[in-house]
Amino acid sequence: MKTIAALQNLVTAASIDFEPTGAELDAIEQEMPLIRAEVELLDAEIMTIDRPANELDVRRVRRARNRVLAARRDLTNRATSALTGGAA
C-alpha cells in the first residue's frame, strides 16, 4: 500500500498575513488614477440600473468612460516611457 504525502507546505493563515511590499504599494499608487476612474464609471452605471437613463445619465456614463480611457492611455504611456528610458 502506497502512502499519500503532501508535496508542498500547508497554507496557513500565518503565511497569508504579510503586508504588501514597497514595490507593490508603488505599483498601486501608479495605477490609482485608473482605479478611481473605473470606480466613477461603475458608480455612473449603477445609477442607471433601476431606472431608464436620461440625458444627464448618458453624459455622466460617457464622461466616465472617457476618463477611464484617458487614465489607461496615461498609464500605458508612463509604462512605455519607463521601459524605453525616455529615449523614444
Side-chain angles (χ1 to χ4, degrees):
M1 175 183 251
K2 292 184 178 181
T3 59
I4 299 173
L7 299 177
Q8 297 176 349
N9 293 335
L10 295 175
V11 178
T12 62
S15 66
I16 299 173
D17 221 14
F18 295 115
E19 296 291 324
T21 64
E24 291 171 334
L25 291 174
D26 289 341
I28 292 170
E29 186 65 31
Q30 287 181 351
E31 293 178 9
M32 192 54 67
L34 176 60
I35 294 168
R36 286 189 187 116
E38 288 176 339
V39 168
E40 287 179 25
L41 175 59
L42 185 61
D43 287 343
E45 290 174 340
I46 287 172
M47 282 194 257
T48 62
I49 286 177
D50 61 345
R51 60 185 165 89
N54 58 24
E55 184 62 31
L56 181 64
D57 293 332
V58 171
R59 288 181 194 172
R60 185 178 292 127
V61 170
R62 185 177 50 226
R63 283 191 211 117
R65 282 189 185 137
N66 289 337
R67 282 189 214 109
V68 168
L69 291 174
R72 285 182 184 164
R73 180 197 63 218
D74 294 342
L75 185 62
T76 302
N77 288 341
R78 272 189 267 139
T80 305
S81 67
L83 291 177
T84 61

